[in-house]
Amino acid sequence: MNLRRSVVFLAGLLLSACQQLPSSIRPNATPTAEPPPTSTLASLTPTVTPHEVEAVPTRIERVDGSSSMRLSYECLEVTGMQPESTTASGTLVIHSSEVGENDYLLDLTSMTPTRESIGLTAVVSPDNRKLAVVVDNQIEIRDANWNLLSSFPKEADWQIERWLDGYQLLIDVGQNAPQAQSWRLPQLLVVNATTGESTLAFDATSIPGIQDRYDPSLDFGSPSRLVPDSSLSVMIFPARGDADEVPVVLWDLERHVEIGRLTNLGPFGGTPTWSPDGSKAVVAAPIRFTTDKGAFDNLAGEVSVGGAELLSISRQGKVRRLSYVTSLVIAAPSAPAWSPDGRFLAYWLAVRDDANYPGERLAVVDTETGLVTNYCVAGYRREQDGQSPAPIWSPDGKWIALTVPNATDVGQTDILLVDLAEKRASQVADHATLLGWMRLSP
């Protein structure tokens, strides 16, 4: 009799727990979407499309143990931007996909665009003050007002990878068409952004285990798949592996030794990203997983039901868990971006239903507490579009800018601004791709 009572009592607890979950993580739940109100941005007149937003008012925050789920919901409605209501400052670098339309710089203070030929290769410096663009086989360095700071010739096989700091560019050599028959070991150049002088960053051929062939399973999503820190003293790279097991190695470029590693499931979550102070990098990886080769455990003793989490790996090789979503549900994070102060990460979170990952949602994790806030703003639909471009923080860390799918035109994207203080999302451009956020020059 007592046993039957216990079974009934436990069943009641499980049913109650399931009923408290938000619809987005209940089995077979389908998020609902309501078309937000629309308005017109006077200077750009974008068509505000009804972007998908989950109706999940419930808040979940379980912090009763080191590995308990830590997730809250602050669902935002997407509206049109009212110029008089925004407090965002700086300049957005925007590539227009409209036929016959030039790219442009959008001054957020006046909401006026300056049309320029920018292209998709533009890269903003870490201090948000310089923009590197390719124009007629030249690399031009410009400020937020489009003033030319310097220019130098671009070699045919150069591809801008990113800025190392405010003065040097990291250039990938020879990866314009990475095909199996022609692909070779990546080489990176450090290029002075004032003079154009270049030097080899390091000799990749001397690193054991580094990939020397093209293999999609080893693709981080970056052109070179080599991710050095800004001082070029340590580097993260995917070592030789296969579709089920890819070692992610932290390598000391000065002492030529391995510092540490994680084991990943293929190109999971995109390129690792170094924190603003260079003390650690964030990697999307499983807590543990099992293949035909055996079990792989990145963090022993941590609870995870599957999928991946955001993990950090320090310059000394110490691995730390940053998010705690998979303590209760299977989830996949991607494209994490550090806030300017290095405390928060904005990224795309996909929570798995019975069969697949239906779509990505904007999320922000506090790396000090592990609490993830899901803002319910829809990114790419993984089954159709792949992974969403990384969120871009404003220089003051108060806003996040997003490139998201256009709800009606397949293959087109729009740009949203998320006000973290006021808890609102606004569309500032349609049929466009965001390339960066710059500070206005003094």
Side-chain angles (χ1 to χ4, degrees):
M1 190 67 174
N2 290 336
L3 178 59
R4 283 198 297 270
R5 282 201 202 96
S6 299
V7 171
V8 172
F9 176 70
L10 287 173
L13 281 179
L14 289 173
L15 180 59
S16 173
C18 289
Q19 289 173 340
Q20 292 174 9
L21 298 181
S23 60
S24 63
I25 60 175
R26 290 189 207 129
N28 302 317
T30 302
T32 59
E34 296 181 2
T38 62
S39 63
T40 302
L41 179 62
S43 57
L44 293 179
T45 62
T47 302
V48 182
T49 51
H51 293 272
E52 183 182 356
V53 179
E54 289 180 290
V56 187
T58 308
R59 177 183 176 90
I60 291 184
E61 185 174 345
R62 302 181 180 182
V63 198
D64 54 350
S66 62
S67 294
S68 297
M69 185 177 184
R70 307 178 192 181
L71 177 64
S72 67
Y73 284 80
E74 296 281 357
C75 292
L76 309 181
E77 184 179 52
V78 179
T79 65
M81 175 67 81
Q82 298 294 333
E84 67 277 3
S85 67
T86 179
T87 59
S89 62
T91 299
L92 298 184
V93 183
I94 295 175
H95 171 72
S96 175
S97 58
E98 293 277 16
V99 177
E101 292 287 345
N102 286 331
D103 306 327
Y104 55 95
L105 303 174
L106 177 61
D107 184 337
L108 291 172
T109 303
S110 62
M111 283 295 174
T112 55
T114 302
R115 303 283 178 178
E116 302 291 350
S117 181
I118 298 172
L120 279 170
T121 59
V123 183
V124 176
S125 63
D127 61 5
N128 304 100
R129 296 191 181 280
K130 296 177 182 178
L131 179 69
V133 297
V134 177
V135 179
D136 297 330
N137 296 319
Q138 290 279 116
I139 294 180
E140 297 183 350
I141 309 300
R142 294 184 176 271
D143 64 14
N145 296 318
W146 203 245
N147 296 314
L148 182 63
L149 304 178
S150 63
S151 67
F152 47 88
K154 172 190 172 296
E155 301 295 334
D157 58 354
W158 281 14
Q159 183 174 345
I160 301 176
E161 176 90 359
R162 61 183 172 90
W163 288 80
L164 273 180
D165 47 35
Y167 308 97
Q168 301 176 104
L169 290 167
L170 196 63
I171 300 289
D172 179 72
V173 180
Q175 300 305 315
N176 293 331
Q179 303 297 326
Q181 64 271 22
S182 61
W183 191 86
R184 60 185 175 80
L185 183 68
Q187 293 291 343
L188 296 178
L189 299 179
V190 177
V191 176
N192 185 302
T194 301
T195 65
E197 296 178 355
S198 64
T199 57
L200 186 66
F202 48 81
D203 181 12
T205 62
S206 65
I207 301 174
I210 199 167
Q211 58 188 38
D212 53 6
R213 55 188 169 77
Y214 178 68
D215 186 340
S217 70
L218 302 177
D219 191 355
F220 268 157
S222 68
S224 72
R225 303 159 197 84
L226 309 179
V227 190
D229 74 326
S230 61
S231 68
L232 296 179
S233 57
V234 294
M235 178 181 71
I236 295 176
F237 68 92
R240 296 190 189 101
D242 54 40
D244 295 326
E245 171 214 350
V246 176
V248 179
V249 176
L250 177 66
W251 184 260
D252 189 316
L253 289 167
E254 297 175 342
R255 297 186 296 127
H256 303 286
V257 296
E258 180 178 315
I259 303 171
R261 68 169 56 196
L262 295 166
T263 307
N264 214 336
L265 279 167
F268 211 124
T271 307
T273 305
W274 287 98
S275 59
D277 64 0
S279 64
K280 54 189 173 292
V282 61
V283 180
I287 300 299
R288 68 183 54 82
F289 63 96
T290 302
T291 70
D292 294 340
K293 296 182 179 180
F296 298 89
D297 203 334
N298 286 319
L299 280 173
E302 293 282 340
V303 176
S304 176
V305 298
E309 294 282 12
L310 294 182
L311 310 179
S312 68
I313 182 167
S314 71
R315 298 171 65 89
Q316 294 75 38
K318 182 179 179 180
V319 178
R320 175 173 169 252
R321 185 173 183 172
L322 301 179
S323 61
Y324 293 81
V325 178
T326 66
S327 299
L328 188 59
V329 297
I330 298 175
S334 67
W338 292 95
S339 62
D341 63 3
R343 174 169 175 172
F344 299 92
L345 282 161
Y347 67 105
W348 295 102
L349 175 65
V351 176
R352 184 171 180 173
D353 60 18
D354 282 349
N356 55 29
Y357 295 98
E360 299 180 323
R361 301 292 182 268
L362 173 66
V364 175
V365 61
D366 184 335
T367 63
E368 293 185 3
T369 66
L371 178 61
V372 174
T373 302
N374 185 338
Y375 288 101
C376 311
V377 177
Y380 284 19
R381 298 167 292 275
R382 283 199 168 192
E383 301 299 322
Q384 303 173 34
D385 310 314
Q387 293 182 353
S388 303
I392 295 178
W393 290 83
S394 63
D396 60 10
K398 297 178 180 179
W399 296 71
I400 297 173
L402 309 169
T403 297
V404 300
N406 184 285
T408 56
D409 295 338
V410 177
Q412 293 286 352
T413 54
D414 301 333
I415 298 175
L416 307 182
L417 286 188
V418 176
D419 186 336
L420 296 174
E422 298 297 329
K423 301 293 189 296
R424 64 186 179 189
S426 307
Q427 181 178 326
V428 295
D430 64 327
H431 297 87
T433 301
L434 182 66
L435 303 178
W437 195 323
M438 301 185 70
R439 298 178 188 268
L440 287 174
S441 301

